[in-house]
Amino acid sequence: MTSPLRLGIAGLGTVGVGIVRIVQKHVALLEGRAGRPIVISAVSARSKTKNRDVDLSDYAWEDDPVELAKRDDVDLFIEVMGGHEGPAKDATEAAIAAGKDVVSANKALMAVHGQSLAEMAEAAGRVIRFEAAVAGGVPVVKALTEGLAGNEITRIMGVMNGSCNYILTRMQDAGLSYEAVFDEANQLGYLEADPELDVGGIDAGHKLALLSSIAFGTQVDFDAVELEGIGSVTIEDINHAADMGYKIKLLGVAQLTGRGLEQRMAPCLVPATSPLGQLEGGTNMVVLEGDAVGQIVLRGAGAGEGPTASAIMGDVMDIARGLRISTFGQPAAQLRKARAARAAVPAPYYLRMQLLDKPGALAKVAYALGEAGISIDRMRQYGHDDTMAPVLIVTHKTTRTALDEALAAFAGTGVVTGEPVAIRIEAV
């Protein structure tokens, strides 16, 4: 009989418990598909006495995840603790040093330390798999490393944080302010303990950095991702965008240009009729574009017990079958460090600003845009009072550099009050 693959699970929160449930529920199915039994040998978590509504009595317990990683009866170390430093990093390194393969759901760990961990694992003849770290149950890592391995990837786009997508779609559907829906999402438990990880684009930025590395053969570089959260998006912006046939999404985009690797996670306008525009609630969607395949769209649950545990088990099954792929799709030593490019590809922009209601105000704004080489596609003025006039402008394609020049010039016009809002319009 083929020897079983013995798992050690570090972390028994929602995802860790989900893994246990799958292994316990699908004993025969997993063995039949893997060609060998899949068993759990040991587990670790902060509290041994916590009620998790799952039977752990057959598994050895380790208080310290590092000790779990070193156990002789563990072949595959599963890290679902979270955090890019401390126990998660220490235990992952200990597992590799002890000759174990690793499966992780830890996007922050892989985005910050992925290159060094990949080099360590590959030097030891081990593999690290992290499907669950990107878009939950959506198999986008597998699509890039396997199904699309024959393609030159030209662009990645995606809505990769379900909490932000919930907030933006809820604002539009209910006509509520950002602040009201943020509080609602927080009360429902949709946001991280530190909500800025979600609404600030950090969580989704980690995911984009990982996908960029696989797609473009570069060293993962989270620090090079341009991050802008959704906190400045108002219900007025959402309504104005809808009037023009767009929806606002927190969109990740990565593409390799002649100027370098562009990676940004920021609010964007997308056509309301596009797959991304029609994405509702907490669902994730990743759009991959390759030179041979064209455009493909992957959509599904981006978080939660079942979807994330499903992704973990997909990686477990590959390792059980003997499939061994370099962490980022090619040997870590071959990954090059990319030159960062800031919004290099031109695009139209949505601008919203408050103008003093006096003669010549619009002309001064148009002149500032023209001096920066930016032409106006559409302009609208909404209801105003005796002193202020809300104005919305859609530009023709321009670079972010030129737009920043124009925005800086607005301050000197004497007619723009407050900070203008600028949101990129992405072609999808």
Side-chain angles (χ1 to χ4, degrees):
M1 182 178 178
T2 304
S3 61
L5 181 67
R6 301 169 296 178
L7 313 180
I9 303 173
L12 290 171
T14 299
V15 178
V17 168
I19 298 165
V20 173
R21 289 196 172 115
I22 290 176
V23 173
Q24 292 178 348
K25 179 180 179 181
H26 295 306
V27 175
L29 181 147
L30 295 176
E31 181 175 352
R33 291 178 176 173
R36 60 193 295 196
I38 308 293
V39 300
I40 299 170
S41 295
V43 296
S44 176
R46 282 195 290 261
S47 170
K48 186 175 182 179
T49 58
K50 179 180 177 180
N51 179 19
R52 297 178 171 89
D53 293 322
V54 67
D55 184 8
L56 304 173
S57 60
D58 290 340
Y59 315 136
W61 180 275
E62 292 283 359
D63 291 320
D64 184 353
V66 173
E67 294 305 312
L68 172 69
K70 296 177 180 178
R71 288 180 65 100
D72 291 337
D73 60 351
V74 169
D75 305 309
L76 174 58
F77 178 70
I78 299 177
E79 188 275 298
V80 285
M81 294 179 288
H84 68 277
E85 301 290 351
K89 181 172 181 285
D90 294 343
T92 299
E93 292 175 340
I96 296 167
K100 323 289 187 186
D101 295 321
V102 175
V103 172
S104 177
N106 192 333
K107 64 190 82 68
L109 176 69
M110 294 304 299
V112 175
H113 299 294
Q115 180 66 26
S116 61
L117 289 173
E119 291 175 358
M120 180 181 181
E122 290 168 27
R126 299 294 94 199
V127 298
I128 304 176
R129 302 295 296 269
F130 58 90
E131 183 69 74
V134 182
V138 182
V140 61
V141 172
K142 196 172 184 68
L144 283 171
T145 55
E146 298 178 47
L148 301 181
N151 284 255
E152 179 182 352
I153 302 300
T154 54
R155 185 170 64 157
I156 295 169
M157 290 185 294
V159 171
M160 304 177 196
N161 184 281
S163 300
C164 287
N165 202 52
Y166 168 82
I167 289 173
L168 293 172
T169 54
R170 174 75 172 142
M171 286 172 67
Q172 179 161 13
D173 292 344
L176 297 173
S177 69
Y178 169 79
E179 292 77 15
V181 180
F182 175 93
D183 290 341
E184 178 185 282
N186 212 12
Q187 291 170 10
L188 291 170
Y190 291 172
L191 299 176
E192 298 275 1
D194 177 4
E196 189 62 21
L197 292 173
D198 287 316
V199 299
I202 298 169
D203 167 87
H206 287 145
K207 300 170 185 178
L208 183 66
L210 294 172
L211 294 182
S212 294
S213 178
I214 300 169
F216 304 114
T218 58
Q219 294 182 12
V220 61
D221 187 2
F222 171 66
D223 289 338
V225 180
E226 297 176 51
L227 293 178
E228 181 185 343
I230 62 172
S232 64
V233 177
T234 67
I235 185 61
E236 289 77 19
D237 291 323
I238 288 174
N239 290 337
H240 296 336
D243 286 346
M244 296 184 295
Y246 294 103
K247 288 192 177 179
I248 299 178
K249 300 292 180 183
L250 180 66
L251 190 67
V253 179
Q255 50 198 337
L256 195 60
T257 72
R259 297 175 57 187
L261 179 59
E262 181 179 332
Q263 301 179 92
R264 64 180 183 277
M265 183 63 63
C268 289
L269 271 69
V270 298
T273 56
S274 68
L276 285 165
Q278 295 178 48
L279 189 69
E280 300 290 327
T283 309
N284 281 198
M285 178 179 288
V286 181
V287 179
L288 305 175
E289 296 177 354
D291 62 341
V293 75
Q295 185 182 90
I296 64 171
V297 178
L298 302 173
R299 170 179 176 165
E305 175 185 314
T308 310
S310 169
I312 288 279
M313 289 306 300
D315 284 342
V316 169
M317 294 294 282
D318 278 349
I319 291 171
R321 292 164 172 154
L323 180 61
R324 308 186 71 76
I325 297 175
S326 299
T327 308
F328 293 102
Q330 58 183 280
Q334 296 179 12
L335 300 175
R336 65 193 188 280
K337 187 168 180 59
R339 182 173 70 254
R342 183 170 185 264
V345 177
Y349 281 82
Y350 159 100
L351 304 177
R352 174 176 56 81
M353 65 199 78
Q354 292 277 356
L355 301 187
L356 294 177
D357 190 13
K358 60 184 186 180
L362 276 173
K364 290 183 178 182
V365 168
Y367 179 80
L369 288 169
E371 284 294 287
I374 301 172
S375 60
I376 296 173
D377 178 30
R378 284 179 278 174
M379 181 185 299
R380 293 187 184 181
Q381 182 173 320
Y382 289 84
H384 62 280
D385 55 31
D386 293 336
T387 59
M388 297 292 178
V391 172
L392 182 143
I393 293 172
V394 174
T395 74
H396 286 289
K397 284 186 178 181
T398 185
T399 64
R400 183 69 206 201
T401 300
L403 184 69
D404 287 343
E405 179 185 332
L407 293 175
F410 286 171
T413 63
V415 297
V416 178
T417 65
E419 287 293 323
V421 171
I423 305 178
R424 184 182 174 99
I425 301 175
E426 195 68 44
V428 299

